[in-house]
Each structure stands twice: as structure tokens, then as C-alpha cells.
Coordinates of all heavy atoms in Angstrom, one line a residue:
M1389 N -61.0 -28.2 -4.0 CA -61.6 -27.1 -3.2 C -60.8 -26.6 -2.1 O -60.4 -27.3 -1.3 CB -63.0 -27.5 -2.8 CG -64.2 -27.1 -3.6 SD -64.6 -25.4 -3.8 CE -65.6 -25.1 -2.4
V1390 N -60.7 -25.3 -2.1 CA -60.0 -24.6 -1.0 C -61.0 -24.3 0.1 O -62.1 -23.9 0.0 CB -59.3 -23.3 -1.3 CG1 -58.7 -22.6 -0.1 CG2 -58.3 -23.6 -2.4
A1391 N -60.6 -24.7 1.4 CA -61.6 -24.5 2.5 C -61.9 -23.0 2.7 O -60.9 -22.3 2.6 CB -61.0 -25.1 3.7
A1392 N -63.2 -22.8 2.9 CA -63.5 -21.4 3.1 C -63.0 -21.0 4.5 O -62.8 -21.7 5.4 CB -65.0 -21.2 3.2
G1393 N -62.6 -19.6 4.6 CA -62.1 -19.1 5.8 C -61.7 -17.7 5.6 O -62.2 -17.1 4.7
A1394 N -60.9 -17.2 6.4 CA -60.3 -15.8 6.3 C -59.5 -15.7 5.0 O -58.9 -16.7 4.7 CB -59.4 -15.5 7.4
P1395 N -59.8 -14.7 4.1 CA -59.0 -14.6 2.9 C -57.5 -14.7 3.2 O -57.0 -13.9 4.1 CB -59.5 -13.4 2.3 CG -60.1 -12.6 3.5 CD -60.6 -13.5 4.4
T1396 N -56.7 -15.3 2.5 CA -55.2 -15.3 2.7 C -54.7 -14.1 2.2 O -54.9 -13.7 1.0 CB -54.6 -16.6 2.1 OG1 -55.3 -16.9 0.9 CG2 -54.4 -17.7 3.0
M1397 N -53.9 -13.3 3.1 CA -53.3 -12.2 2.6 C -52.0 -12.6 1.9 O -51.3 -13.5 2.2 CB -52.9 -11.3 3.8 CG -54.0 -10.4 4.3 SD -53.3 -9.1 5.4 CE -53.1 -10.1 6.8
S1398 N -51.6 -11.7 0.9 CA -50.4 -12.0 0.2 C -49.2 -11.5 1.1 O -49.4 -10.8 2.1 CB -50.3 -11.1 -1.0 OG -50.1 -9.7 -0.7
V1399 N -48.0 -12.1 0.8 CA -46.8 -11.8 1.5 C -46.5 -10.2 1.6 O -46.3 -9.7 2.7 CB -45.5 -12.4 0.8 CG1 -44.3 -11.8 1.5 CG2 -45.6 -14.0 1.2
D1400 N -46.8 -9.5 0.5 CA -46.7 -8.1 0.5 C -47.6 -7.4 1.4 O -47.3 -6.5 2.2 CB -46.9 -7.5 -0.9 CG -45.6 -7.7 -1.8 OD1 -44.5 -8.2 -1.2 OD2 -45.7 -7.4 -3.0
A1401 N -49.0 -7.7 1.4 CA -49.9 -7.2 2.2 C -49.5 -7.4 3.7 O -49.7 -6.4 4.5 CB -51.3 -7.7 2.1
K1402 N -49.2 -8.5 4.1 CA -48.7 -8.8 5.4 C -47.5 -7.9 5.9 O -47.4 -7.4 6.9 CB -48.3 -10.3 5.6 CG -49.4 -11.2 5.7 CD -48.9 -12.6 5.9 CE -50.1 -13.6 5.6 NZ -49.5 -14.9 5.4
A1403 N -46.5 -7.8 4.9 CA -45.3 -7.0 5.2 C -45.7 -5.6 5.4 O -45.1 -5.0 6.4 CB -44.3 -7.2 4.0
H1404 N -46.6 -5.0 4.7 CA -47.0 -3.6 4.9 C -47.6 -3.5 6.2 O -47.4 -2.4 6.9 CB -48.0 -3.1 3.8 CG -47.4 -2.7 2.6 ND1 -46.8 -1.4 2.4 CD2 -47.2 -3.4 1.3 CE1 -46.3 -1.4 1.4 NE2 -46.5 -2.5 0.5
R1405 N -48.3 -4.5 6.8 CA -48.8 -4.3 8.1 C -47.8 -4.4 9.3 O -47.9 -4.0 10.3 CB -49.9 -5.4 8.4 CG -51.2 -5.0 7.5 CD -52.2 -6.0 7.7 NE -52.6 -6.2 9.1 CZ -53.5 -7.0 9.6 NH1 -54.2 -7.8 8.7 NH2 -53.8 -7.1 10.9
L1406 N -46.7 -5.2 8.9 CA -45.7 -5.4 9.8 C -44.6 -4.3 9.9 O -43.9 -4.1 11.0 CB -45.0 -6.7 9.6 CG -45.8 -8.1 9.8 CD1 -45.2 -9.3 9.2 CD2 -46.1 -8.3 11.3
A1407 N -44.4 -3.7 8.8 CA -43.2 -2.8 8.6 C -43.1 -1.7 9.7 O -42.0 -1.4 10.2 CB -43.3 -2.1 7.3
D1408 N -44.3 -1.2 10.3 CA -44.2 -0.2 11.3 C -44.0 -0.8 12.7 O -43.7 -0.1 13.7 CB -45.6 0.6 11.4 CG -45.8 1.4 10.2 OD1 -44.7 2.0 9.7 OD2 -46.9 1.7 9.8
R1409 N -44.1 -2.1 12.8 CA -44.0 -2.8 14.1 C -42.6 -3.4 14.4 O -42.4 -4.1 15.3 CB -45.1 -3.7 14.4 CG -46.5 -2.9 14.4 CD -47.6 -3.8 14.0 NE -47.7 -5.0 15.1 CZ -48.3 -6.1 14.8 NH1 -49.0 -6.2 13.7 NH2 -48.4 -7.0 15.7
I1410 N -41.7 -3.3 13.5 CA -40.3 -3.9 13.5 C -39.6 -3.2 14.7 O -39.5 -1.9 14.7 CB -39.8 -3.9 12.1 CG1 -40.5 -4.7 11.2 CG2 -38.2 -4.3 12.2 CD1 -39.9 -4.5 9.8
E1411 N -38.9 -3.9 15.4 CA -37.9 -3.4 16.3 C -36.5 -3.9 15.8 O -36.3 -5.0 15.6 CB -38.2 -4.0 17.7 CG -39.6 -3.8 18.3 CD -39.7 -2.6 19.1 OE1 -38.6 -1.9 19.3 OE2 -40.8 -2.3 19.5
V1412 N -35.6 -2.8 15.8 CA -34.2 -3.2 15.6 C -33.6 -3.7 16.9 O -33.7 -2.8 18.0 CB -33.4 -1.9 15.1 CG1 -32.1 -2.3 14.7 CG2 -34.2 -1.3 13.8
V1413 N -33.0 -4.8 16.9 CA -32.5 -5.2 18.2 C -31.0 -5.3 18.3 O -30.2 -5.4 19.2 CB -33.0 -6.6 18.6 CG1 -34.4 -6.6 19.0 CG2 -32.7 -7.7 17.5
A1414 N -30.3 -5.1 17.1 CA -28.9 -5.0 17.0 C -28.4 -4.2 15.7 O -29.1 -4.2 14.8 CB -28.2 -6.5 17.0
W1415 N -27.4 -3.4 16.0 CA -26.9 -2.6 15.1 C -25.5 -2.9 14.7 O -24.8 -3.4 15.6 CB -26.9 -1.1 15.5 CG -28.3 -0.4 15.5 CD1 -28.7 0.4 14.6 CD2 -29.1 -0.6 16.6 NE1 -30.0 0.8 15.0 CE2 -30.3 0.2 16.2 CE3 -29.2 -1.3 17.8 CZ2 -31.4 0.4 17.0 CZ3 -30.3 -1.2 18.6 CH2 -31.4 -0.4 18.2
T1416 N -25.0 -2.6 13.5 CA -23.6 -2.7 13.2 C -23.2 -1.5 12.3 O -23.9 -1.3 11.3 CB -23.2 -4.1 12.6 OG1 -21.8 -4.0 12.2 CG2 -24.0 -4.4 11.3
G1417 N -22.2 -0.8 12.8 CA -21.8 0.4 12.1 C -23.0 1.4 11.8 O -23.1 2.1 10.9
G1418 N -23.9 1.6 12.9 CA -25.0 2.4 12.8 C -26.2 1.9 12.0 O -27.2 2.7 11.9
A1419 N -26.2 0.8 11.4 CA -27.2 0.3 10.5 C -27.9 -0.9 11.2 O -27.0 -1.8 11.9 CB -26.6 0.0 9.2
G1420 N -29.2 -1.0 11.0 CA -29.8 -2.3 11.7 C -29.2 -3.6 11.1 O -28.9 -3.6 9.9
A1421 N -28.9 -4.5 12.0 CA -28.5 -5.7 11.6 C -29.3 -7.0 11.9 O -29.3 -8.0 11.3 CB -27.0 -6.0 12.1
V1422 N -30.0 -6.7 13.1 CA -30.9 -7.9 13.6 C -32.2 -7.2 14.0 O -32.3 -6.2 14.6 CB -30.3 -8.6 14.7 CG1 -31.3 -9.7 15.2 CG2 -29.1 -9.2 14.5
Y1423 N -33.4 -7.8 13.4 CA -34.7 -7.1 13.6 C -35.6 -8.2 14.3 O -35.6 -9.3 13.9 CB -35.2 -6.7 12.3 CG -34.5 -5.8 11.5 CD1 -33.4 -6.1 10.7 CD2 -34.8 -4.4 11.6 CE1 -32.7 -5.3 10.0 CE2 -34.0 -3.5 10.8 CZ -33.0 -3.9 10.0 OH -32.2 -3.1 9.3
A1424 N -36.4 -7.7 15.1 CA -37.5 -8.6 15.7 C -38.9 -8.0 15.0 O -39.2 -6.9 15.1 CB -37.6 -8.3 17.2
V1425 N -39.4 -9.0 14.3 CA -40.6 -8.8 13.6 C -41.7 -9.5 14.2 O -41.7 -10.8 14.3 CB -40.4 -9.2 12.1 CG1 -41.7 -8.8 11.3 CG2 -39.2 -8.7 11.4
P1426 N -42.8 -8.9 14.7 CA -43.9 -9.5 15.3 C -44.6 -10.5 14.4 O -44.7 -10.2 13.2 CB -44.9 -8.4 15.7 CG -44.5 -7.3 15.0 CD -43.1 -7.4 14.6
S1427 N -45.2 -11.6 14.8 CA -46.0 -12.5 13.9 C -47.4 -11.9 13.9 O -47.9 -11.3 14.9 CB -46.0 -13.9 14.7 OG -47.1 -14.7 14.2
L1428 N -48.1 -11.9 12.8 CA -49.4 -11.5 12.7 C -50.4 -12.4 13.3 O -51.6 -12.0 13.7 CB -49.8 -11.3 11.2 CG -49.4 -10.1 10.5 CD1 -49.8 -10.0 9.1 CD2 -50.0 -8.8 11.2
T1429 N -50.0 -13.6 13.4 CA -51.0 -14.6 13.9 C -50.9 -15.1 15.3 O -51.8 -15.6 16.0 CB -51.0 -15.9 13.0 OG1 -49.6 -16.2 12.8 CG2 -51.6 -15.6 11.6
T1430 N -49.6 -14.9 16.0 CA -49.3 -15.2 17.3 C -48.7 -14.2 18.1 O -48.5 -13.1 17.5 CB -48.5 -16.6 17.3 OG1 -47.2 -16.2 17.0 CG2 -49.1 -17.7 16.6
D1431 N -48.4 -14.2 19.3 CA -47.7 -13.2 20.1 C -46.2 -13.4 19.8 O -45.4 -12.7 20.5 CB -48.1 -13.4 21.6 CG -49.6 -13.2 21.8 OD1 -50.0 -12.3 21.1 OD2 -50.1 -13.4 22.8
D1432 N -45.8 -14.3 19.1 CA -44.4 -14.5 18.9 C -43.7 -13.4 18.0 O -44.4 -12.7 17.4 CB -44.1 -15.9 18.2 CG -44.4 -16.9 19.1 OD1 -44.4 -16.8 20.2 OD2 -44.7 -18.1 18.6
F1433 N -42.4 -13.4 18.1 CA -41.7 -12.6 17.2 C -40.7 -13.5 16.2 O -40.4 -14.6 16.9 CB -40.7 -11.6 18.0 CG -41.4 -10.5 18.6 CD1 -42.1 -10.6 19.7 CD2 -41.2 -9.2 17.9 CE1 -42.7 -9.3 20.3 CE2 -41.8 -8.1 18.4 CZ -42.6 -8.1 19.5
H1434 N -40.5 -13.0 15.2 CA -39.5 -13.6 14.3 C -38.3 -12.9 14.3 O -38.4 -11.5 14.3 CB -40.1 -14.0 12.8 CG -41.0 -15.0 13.1 ND1 -40.9 -16.3 13.4 CD2 -42.4 -15.1 12.8 CE1 -41.9 -17.0 13.4 NE2 -42.9 -16.3 13.0
V1435 N -37.1 -13.4 14.1 CA -35.8 -12.7 14.0 C -35.3 -12.7 12.7 O -35.1 -13.8 12.1 CB -34.8 -13.3 15.2 CG1 -33.5 -12.5 14.9 CG2 -35.4 -13.2 16.5
V1436 N -35.1 -11.6 12.1 CA -34.6 -11.3 10.7 C -33.2 -10.9 11.0 O -32.9 -9.7 11.6 CB -35.4 -10.4 9.9 CG1 -34.7 -10.2 8.5 CG2 -36.8 -11.1 9.6
T1437 N -32.2 -11.5 10.4 CA -30.8 -11.2 10.6 C -30.2 -10.9 9.2 O -30.5 -11.5 8.3 CB -30.1 -12.6 11.1 OG1 -30.7 -13.0 12.2 CG2 -28.6 -12.1 11.4
D1438 N -29.6 -9.7 9.2 CA -28.8 -9.3 8.0 C -27.5 -10.0 8.0 O -26.6 -9.5 8.6 CB -28.7 -7.8 7.9 CG -28.3 -7.3 6.6 OD1 -27.3 -8.0 5.9 OD2 -28.7 -6.2 6.1
L1439 N -27.4 -11.0 7.2 CA -26.1 -11.8 7.2 C -25.0 -11.0 6.4 O -23.9 -11.2 6.9 CB -26.3 -13.1 6.4 CG -27.5 -14.0 6.9 CD1 -27.6 -15.2 6.0 CD2 -27.2 -14.5 8.3
T1440 N -25.3 -10.2 5.5 CA -24.3 -9.4 4.9 C -23.7 -8.4 5.8 O -22.5 -8.3 5.9 CB -25.0 -8.6 3.6 OG1 -25.7 -9.6 2.9 CG2 -23.9 -8.0 2.7
R1441 N -24.5 -7.7 6.5 CA -24.0 -6.6 7.4 C -23.2 -7.4 8.5 O -22.3 -6.7 9.0 CB -25.0 -5.8 8.0 CG -25.5 -4.8 7.0 CD -26.5 -3.8 7.5 NE -27.1 -2.9 6.5 CZ -28.2 -2.1 6.6 NH1 -28.8 -2.2 7.8 NH2 -28.5 -1.4 5.7
L1442 N -23.5 -8.5 9.0 CA -22.9 -9.1 10.1 C -21.5 -9.9 9.5 O -20.8 -10.4 10.2 CB -23.7 -10.1 10.8 CG -24.8 -9.5 11.6 CD1 -25.8 -10.5 12.2 CD2 -24.3 -8.7 12.8
G1443 N -21.4 -10.0 8.1 CA -20.3 -10.6 7.5 C -20.4 -12.1 7.7 O -19.4 -12.8 7.7
I1444 N -21.6 -12.6 7.8 CA -21.7 -14.2 8.0 C -22.3 -14.8 6.8 O -22.8 -16.0 6.9 CB -22.2 -14.6 9.3 CG1 -23.7 -13.8 9.5 CG2 -21.3 -14.3 10.5 CD1 -24.3 -14.3 10.8
G1445 N -22.6 -14.1 5.8 CA -23.4 -14.6 4.6 C -23.9 -13.5 3.7 O -23.4 -12.6 3.6
Q1446 N -25.0 -14.0 3.1 CA -25.6 -13.0 2.1 C -27.1 -12.8 2.3 O -27.9 -13.7 2.5 CB -25.4 -13.7 0.6 CG -24.1 -13.6 0.0 CD -23.8 -12.2 -0.4 OE1 -24.6 -11.5 -1.0 NE2 -22.6 -11.6 -0.2
G1447 N -27.3 -11.5 2.3 CA -28.7 -11.1 2.3 C -29.5 -11.3 3.7 O -28.7 -11.3 4.8
L1448 N -30.8 -11.3 3.8 CA -31.5 -11.3 5.0 C -31.9 -12.8 5.2 O -32.4 -13.4 4.2 CB -32.7 -10.4 4.9 CG -32.4 -8.9 4.8 CD1 -33.8 -8.2 4.3 CD2 -32.0 -8.3 6.0
R1449 N -32.0 -13.1 6.4 CA -32.5 -14.6 6.8 C -33.4 -14.4 8.0 O -33.2 -13.7 8.9 CB -31.2 -15.4 7.3 CG -31.7 -16.6 8.0 CD -32.2 -17.7 7.1 NE -31.2 -18.2 6.1 CZ -30.2 -19.1 6.2 NH1 -30.1 -19.5 7.4 NH2 -29.6 -19.5 5.2
C1450 N -34.5 -15.1 7.8 CA -35.5 -15.0 8.8 C -35.7 -16.5 9.5 O -35.3 -17.5 8.9 CB -36.9 -14.7 8.2 SG -38.3 -14.7 9.4
D1451 N -36.0 -16.4 10.7 CA -36.0 -17.7 11.4 C -37.3 -18.4 11.4 O -37.5 -19.4 12.1 CB -35.6 -17.4 13.0 CG -36.6 -16.8 13.8 OD1 -37.6 -16.3 13.2 OD2 -36.4 -16.9 15.0
C1452 N -38.3 -17.9 10.7 CA -39.5 -18.7 10.6 C -39.5 -19.9 9.6 O -38.5 -20.0 9.0 CB -40.6 -17.6 10.1 SG -40.7 -17.4 8.4
L1453 N -40.5 -20.6 9.5 CA -40.4 -21.8 8.7 C -40.0 -21.5 7.3 O -39.1 -22.1 6.7 CB -41.7 -22.7 8.9 CG -41.7 -24.0 8.5 CD1 -40.8 -24.9 9.3 CD2 -43.2 -24.5 8.6
A1454 N -40.7 -20.5 6.7 CA -40.5 -20.2 5.3 C -39.0 -19.6 5.1 O -38.3 -20.1 4.2 CB -41.5 -19.2 4.8
G1455 N -38.6 -18.9 6.1 CA -37.4 -18.2 6.0 C -36.2 -19.1 6.1 O -35.2 -19.1 5.3
T1456 N -36.4 -20.2 7.0 CA -35.3 -21.1 7.1 C -35.1 -22.1 5.8 O -34.1 -22.7 5.6 CB -35.4 -22.0 8.3 OG1 -36.7 -22.6 8.4 CG2 -35.3 -21.3 9.6
H1457 N -36.2 -22.1 5.1 CA -36.2 -22.9 3.8 C -35.9 -21.9 2.6 O -36.0 -22.3 1.4 CB -37.5 -23.6 3.6 CG -37.5 -24.7 4.5 ND1 -38.1 -24.7 5.7 CD2 -37.2 -26.1 4.4 CE1 -38.2 -25.8 6.3 NE2 -37.6 -26.8 5.5
N1458 N -35.5 -20.7 2.9 CA -35.0 -19.7 2.0 C -36.2 -19.4 1.1 O -36.0 -19.0 -0.1 CB -33.9 -20.3 1.1 CG -32.6 -19.3 1.3 OD1 -32.8 -18.2 1.6 ND2 -31.5 -20.1 1.1
Q1459 N -37.4 -19.3 1.6 CA -38.6 -18.9 0.8 C -38.9 -17.5 1.3 O -38.7 -17.0 2.3 CB -39.7 -19.8 1.1 CG -39.6 -21.2 0.4 CD -40.5 -22.3 1.0 OE1 -41.3 -21.8 1.9 NE2 -40.4 -23.5 0.5
A1460 N -39.6 -16.7 0.3 CA -40.1 -15.4 0.7 C -41.1 -15.5 1.9 O -41.9 -16.3 1.9 CB -40.8 -14.7 -0.4
C1461 N -40.8 -14.6 2.9 CA -41.7 -14.4 4.0 C -42.0 -13.1 4.3 O -41.3 -12.2 4.0 CB -41.3 -15.3 5.2 SG -39.8 -14.3 6.0
A1462 N -43.2 -12.9 4.9 CA -43.7 -11.5 5.2 C -42.7 -10.7 6.1 O -42.5 -9.5 5.9 CB -45.0 -11.5 5.9
H1463 N -42.0 -11.6 7.0 CA -41.1 -10.9 8.0 C -39.8 -10.1 7.2 O -39.5 -9.0 7.4 CB -40.6 -11.8 9.0 CG -41.7 -12.7 9.5 ND1 -41.7 -14.0 9.1 CD2 -42.8 -12.4 10.1 CE1 -42.9 -14.5 9.5 NE2 -43.6 -13.7 10.2
R1464 N -39.2 -10.9 6.4 CA -38.0 -10.5 5.6 C -38.5 -9.4 4.7 O -37.8 -8.3 4.6 CB -37.5 -11.7 4.9 CG -36.2 -11.3 4.3 CD -35.4 -12.7 3.9 NE -36.1 -13.2 2.8 CZ -35.7 -14.3 2.1 NH1 -34.5 -14.8 2.5 NH2 -36.3 -14.8 1.1
T1465 N -39.7 -9.5 4.1 CA -40.2 -8.4 3.0 C -40.4 -7.1 4.0 O -40.2 -6.1 3.4 CB -41.5 -9.0 2.4 OG1 -41.2 -10.2 1.8 CG2 -41.9 -7.9 1.4
A1466 N -41.0 -7.4 5.1 CA -41.2 -6.2 6.0 C -40.0 -5.4 6.4 O -40.0 -4.1 6.4 CB -42.0 -6.6 7.4
V1467 N -38.9 -6.1 6.6 CA -37.7 -5.4 6.8 C -37.2 -4.6 5.6 O -36.7 -3.4 5.7 CB -36.5 -6.4 7.3 CG1 -35.2 -5.7 7.3 CG2 -37.0 -7.0 8.7
V1468 N -37.3 -5.3 4.5 CA -36.9 -4.5 3.1 C -37.8 -3.2 3.0 O -37.3 -2.2 2.8 CB -37.0 -5.5 2.0 CG1 -36.9 -4.8 0.7 CG2 -36.3 -6.7 2.1
L1469 N -39.1 -3.4 3.2 CA -40.0 -2.3 3.2 C -39.6 -1.1 4.1 O -39.4 0.0 3.8 CB -41.4 -2.6 3.5 CG -42.4 -3.2 2.4 CD1 -43.7 -3.7 3.0 CD2 -42.5 -2.2 1.3
R1470 N -39.3 -1.5 5.4 CA -39.0 -0.6 6.5 C -37.6 0.2 6.0 O -37.7 1.4 6.2 CB -38.8 -1.4 7.6 CG -37.9 -0.7 8.8 CD -38.7 0.1 9.6 NE -37.8 0.7 10.7 CZ -38.0 0.3 11.9 NH1 -39.0 -0.2 12.3 NH2 -37.1 0.8 12.8
R1471 N -36.7 -0.5 5.5 CA -35.5 0.2 5.0 C -35.7 1.1 3.9 O -35.1 2.2 3.7 CB -34.5 -0.9 4.5 CG -33.9 -1.7 5.7 CD -32.8 -2.6 5.2 NE -32.2 -3.2 6.2 CZ -31.3 -4.1 6.1 NH1 -31.0 -4.7 4.7 NH2 -30.5 -4.6 7.1
Q1472 N -36.7 0.7 3.0 CA -37.0 1.6 1.8 C -37.6 2.9 2.4 O -37.2 4.0 1.9 CB -38.0 1.0 0.8 CG -37.3 -0.2 0.0 CD -38.3 -0.9 -0.8 OE1 -39.5 -0.7 -0.7 NE2 -37.8 -1.8 -1.7
R1473 N -38.5 2.8 3.3 CA -39.2 3.9 4.0 C -38.1 4.9 4.6 O -38.1 6.1 4.5 CB -40.2 3.5 5.0 CG -41.4 2.9 4.5 CD -42.4 2.7 5.5 NE -43.5 1.8 5.0 CZ -44.5 1.4 5.7 NH1 -44.5 1.5 7.0 NH2 -45.4 0.6 5.2
E1474 N -37.2 4.3 5.4 CA -36.2 5.1 6.1 C -35.3 5.7 5.0 O -34.9 7.0 5.2 CB -35.3 4.1 6.9 CG -36.0 3.8 8.2 CD -35.3 2.7 9.0 OE1 -34.1 2.2 8.5 OE2 -35.8 2.4 10.1
A1475 N -35.0 5.1 3.9 CA -34.1 5.6 2.9 C -34.9 6.9 2.3 O -34.3 8.0 2.0 CB -33.7 4.7 1.8
E1476 N -36.2 6.7 2.1 CA -37.1 7.8 1.5 C -37.1 9.0 2.4 O -37.0 10.1 2.0 CB -38.4 7.4 1.2 CG -38.5 6.5 -0.1 CD -39.8 5.7 -0.1 OE1 -40.6 6.0 0.6 OE2 -39.8 4.7 -1.0
Q1477 N -37.1 8.7 3.7 CA -37.2 9.8 4.8 C -35.9 10.6 4.8 O -36.0 11.8 4.9 CB -37.5 9.2 6.1 CG -39.0 8.9 6.3 CD -39.2 8.1 7.6 OE1 -38.3 8.0 8.4 NE2 -40.5 7.7 7.8
I1478 N -34.8 9.9 4.6 CA -33.5 10.5 4.7 C -33.5 11.4 3.4 O -33.0 12.6 3.5 CB -32.4 9.6 4.7 CG1 -32.4 8.9 6.1 CG2 -31.1 10.2 4.4 CD1 -31.6 7.6 6.2
E1479 N -33.9 10.8 2.3 CA -33.9 11.5 1.0 C -34.6 12.9 1.1 O -34.3 14.0 0.7 CB -34.4 10.7 -0.1 CG -33.7 10.9 -1.4 CD -34.1 9.9 -2.4 OE1 -33.6 8.7 -2.4 OE2 -35.1 10.1 -3.0
R1480 N -35.8 12.8 1.8 CA -36.7 13.8 1.8 C -36.2 15.1 2.7 O -36.3 16.1 2.4 CB -38.1 13.5 2.4 CG -39.3 14.1 1.7 CD -40.6 13.4 2.2 NE -40.7 12.1 1.7 CZ -41.2 11.0 2.6 NH1 -41.6 11.3 3.8 NH2 -41.4 9.9 2.1
R1481 N -35.5 14.6 3.8 CA -34.9 15.5 4.7 C -33.7 16.2 4.1 O -33.7 17.5 4.3 CB -34.4 14.7 5.9 CG -35.0 15.1 7.2 CD -34.6 14.4 8.4 NE -35.3 13.1 8.5 CZ -34.8 12.0 9.0 NH1 -33.6 11.9 9.3 NH2 -35.5 10.8 9.0
E1482 N -33.0 15.5 3.3 CA -31.8 16.2 2.6 C -32.3 17.1 1.5 O -31.7 18.1 1.2 CB -30.9 15.1 2.0 CG -30.1 14.5 3.2 CD -29.2 13.4 2.6 OE1 -29.4 12.9 1.5 OE2 -28.4 12.9 3.5
R1483 N -33.4 16.9 0.9 CA -33.9 17.7 -0.1 C -34.4 19.1 0.5 O -34.4 20.2 -0.2 CB -35.1 17.1 -0.9 CG -34.9 17.0 -2.4 CD -36.0 16.4 -3.1 NE -35.9 15.0 -2.9 CZ -37.0 14.1 -2.9 NH1 -38.2 14.7 -2.9 NH2 -36.8 12.8 -2.8
Q1484 N -34.8 19.0 1.8 CA -35.4 20.3 2.4 C -34.3 21.2 2.7 O -34.4 22.4 3.1 CB -36.2 19.8 3.6 CG -37.6 19.4 3.2 CD -38.3 18.8 4.3 OE1 -37.8 18.6 5.5 NE2 -39.6 18.2 4.1
R1485 N -33.1 20.6 2.9 CA -31.9 21.5 3.3 C -31.6 22.6 2.3 O -31.7 22.4 1.2 CB -30.7 20.7 3.4 CG -30.4 20.3 5.0 CD -29.3 19.4 5.1 NE -29.6 18.4 6.1 CZ -28.9 17.3 6.3 NH1 -27.9 17.0 5.3 NH2 -29.3 16.3 7.1
Ligands
ZN2779 ZN1 -40.2 -15.0 8.3

């Protein structure tokens, strides 16, 4: 039996709530390389680093417990969502020209 409590949100649902609250804290070549992603449960932030853009590895890495074990986490997913939204906005702007 699973203990009753607040319904657990999926990683995707959490990521959607976080995507608007992400702060870019470092850029490389005009693109975001390090992001501060707020935690939904505490006042803390998690740091998502783009290892590829920094040239120190592959993909995005989050410093939360799941992220350091290379598991999907809402923070990393939120950064991916945020980038998709930005790409869509640029596309829309270019179509209007
Ligand atoms: Zn994380």
C-alpha cells in the first residue's frame, strides 16, 4: 500500500511548472550554459549545467540527487522545455518577417 498524501506529480508535470522560473546564470557563445532551477518543495535552487556547451562532457547535468545518479529529474526536463519554448518563439518571430 502506498501511503495516502498529496498526489505525486510526474516529472513532466513538475517541469512544466518550473520552466518559467528558470534563471540563466551563465552563458557561452550567447547560449545558456548554466541554469538555476527552483525546487518545487523547498526554497533551494538546483543547478543544471550544459556539459556539451561548456565542453566538459555530454548533455545536461543536474546537481540534485536524481541528476547526480543520471536519472531523469524535473529540473533537467524543465531546461529542455524552456529551450523548446525559446526555439518556438524565435521561429514564430522569423515567420512574421
Ligand atoms: Zn534535478
Side-chain angles (χ1 to χ4, degrees):
M1389 261 295 275
V1390 178
T1396 25
M1397 270 195 289
S1398 71
V1399 166
D1400 278 351
K1402 285 184 197 164
H1404 274 283
R1405 288 180 58 178
L1406 290 170
D1408 289 329
R1409 295 160 60 197
I1410 294 172
E1411 304 269 354
V1412 187
V1413 291
W1415 287 259
T1416 175
V1422 182
Y1423 301 84
V1425 185
S1427 163
L1428 279 177
T1429 45
T1430 67
D1431 291 335
D1432 289 340
F1433 279 81
H1434 290 293
V1435 178
V1436 176
T1437 308
D1438 189 325
L1439 302 178
T1440 311
R1441 283 188 184 163
L1442 291 173
I1444 52 174
Q1446 279 291 314
L1448 297 166
R1449 165 72 62 82
C1450 180
D1451 73 345
C1452 76
L1453 197 62
T1456 49
H1457 288 88
N1458 244 334
Q1459 292 163 359
C1461 71
H1463 320 107
R1464 196 165 63 170
T1465 308
V1467 170
V1468 174
L1469 273 176
R1470 160 83 175 247
R1471 286 182 172 177
Q1472 283 172 357
R1473 286 184 194 175
E1474 282 172 357
E1476 282 164 15
Q1477 280 168 8
I1478 291 166
E1479 215 173 272
R1480 222 172 292 142
R1481 241 174 278 148
E1482 284 179 349
R1483 231 179 285 147
Q1484 284 168 357
R1485 261 178 222 160

